[in-house]
Each structure stands twice: as C-alpha cells, then as structure tokens.
C-alpha cells in the first residue's frame, strides 16, 4: 500500500521478520520456473510498473491486493537465461552504487575545499610562470 511496486529480496538471515498489511511477501515454490533474483529485477521494468499502475485500486492511497499480485503475468526465459540476466543486472547495480558513492565523496571533498577557499582558510598562490607552456 502507498509505495506500490517497490521490491527487495528477503534472505533467510532476516527471517522471521515482522510485517504489516501494507507489505506482501512473495515466496517461490521449490519447483518454480522463476529465479528470485530475476523476479526482483523484473519488478523494476516498465512492463511491471505499467501493470501495477493499471491494477492499483485508487483510494486514499494506492493499493494492490494479494489476488492482484497473483494475477500478474511475468515474462521469463528459461532458468539458465534468468540467472545470466540477473547476474549481469546485479553486477551493473553494484557498479552504479560504487560510482554513486564515489561521486558523493567527490562532491563532499569539493564542498569542503570551496568552503575553505571562501572562508580564507586556504589561499591560492599564482605560479611564477605558466607550467603548461613547457609541455
């Protein structure tokens, strides 16, 4: 309820977990033709998000029932392809997170340097001659 379509993978390590009626836990059967990580990535696709928007009942806040979730059509290739797709997407997510952390750290350093320059704590000196002319 509320923030529809947001998904996460709950590992055994965090279970049992306390939940409420605004959260649905989807468990795949042992003989399922779906891989959990593939299903997780599928929930991030425009196809899934569009389906959620179409089904969501509008009220004080958007809501999906368990029967709505059970009626979703999930496009899935064979299991080995699902695993390959999930691996590539997970690797890309990790790389993006790493780059976002690096960007954040660089922005913090820049902000600190600007603050020191503007407050006069750090002074820039002029080089005696242009060092680029020798290159």
């Amino acid at each position: 309820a509320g923030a529809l379509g947001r998904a996460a993978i709950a590992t055994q390590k965090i279970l049992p977990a306390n939940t409420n009626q605004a959260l649905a836990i989807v468990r795949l059967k042992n003989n399922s033709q779906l891989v959990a990580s593939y299903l997780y990535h599928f929930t991030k696709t425009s196809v899934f998000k569009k389906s959620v928007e179409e089904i969501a009942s509008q009220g004080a806040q958007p809501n999906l029932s368990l029967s709505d979730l059970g009626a979703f059509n999930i496009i899935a290739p064979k299991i080995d392809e699902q695993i390959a797709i999930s691996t590539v997407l997970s690797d890309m997510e990790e790389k993006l997170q790493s780059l976002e952390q690096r960007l954040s750290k660089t922005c913090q350093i820049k902000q600190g340097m600007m603050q020191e320059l503007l407050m006069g704590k750090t002074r820039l000196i002029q080089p005696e001659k242009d060092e680029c002319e020798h290159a």
Side-chain angles (χ1 to χ4, degrees), residues 17-125:
N18 291 328
T19 62
N20 65 21
Q21 69 276 9
L23 177 75
I25 296 177
V26 177
R27 292 182 181 90
L28 299 176
K29 295 179 180 178
N30 289 336
N31 63 349
S32 175
Q33 294 300 303
L34 274 177
V35 175
S37 56
Y38 177 84
L39 179 59
Y40 166 74
H41 289 293
F42 183 78
T43 64
K44 296 181 176 217
T45 65
S46 57
V47 171
F48 178 80
K49 289 177 182 180
K50 184 178 177 189
S51 296
V52 167
E53 288 173 11
E54 290 173 358
I55 294 174
S57 59
Q58 296 297 323
Q61 67 179 341
N63 189 35
L64 284 176
S65 69
L66 290 176
S67 59
D68 291 335
L69 283 175
F72 270 103
N73 289 321
I74 298 169
I75 303 163
K78 294 180 180 177
I79 289 180
D80 57 337
E81 288 181 65
Q82 290 180 48
I83 293 169
I85 291 167
S86 297
T87 301
V88 168
L89 292 174
S90 294
D91 290 348
M92 289 173 63
E93 274 186 349
E94 285 178 28
K95 182 69 173 173
L96 280 171
Q97 284 178 341
S98 172
L99 290 170
E100 286 170 353
Q101 288 173 349
R102 186 173 164 195
L103 176 62
S104 176
K105 187 174 183 178
T106 303
C107 287
Q108 288 174 355
I109 291 169
K110 177 186 171 189
Q111 184 69 30
M113 290 173 70
M114 286 174 46
Q115 196 166 8
E116 283 193 11
L117 288 167
L118 293 171
M119 300 297 276
K121 292 181 181 177
T122 302
R123 297 255 183 222
L124 298 178
I125 58 170

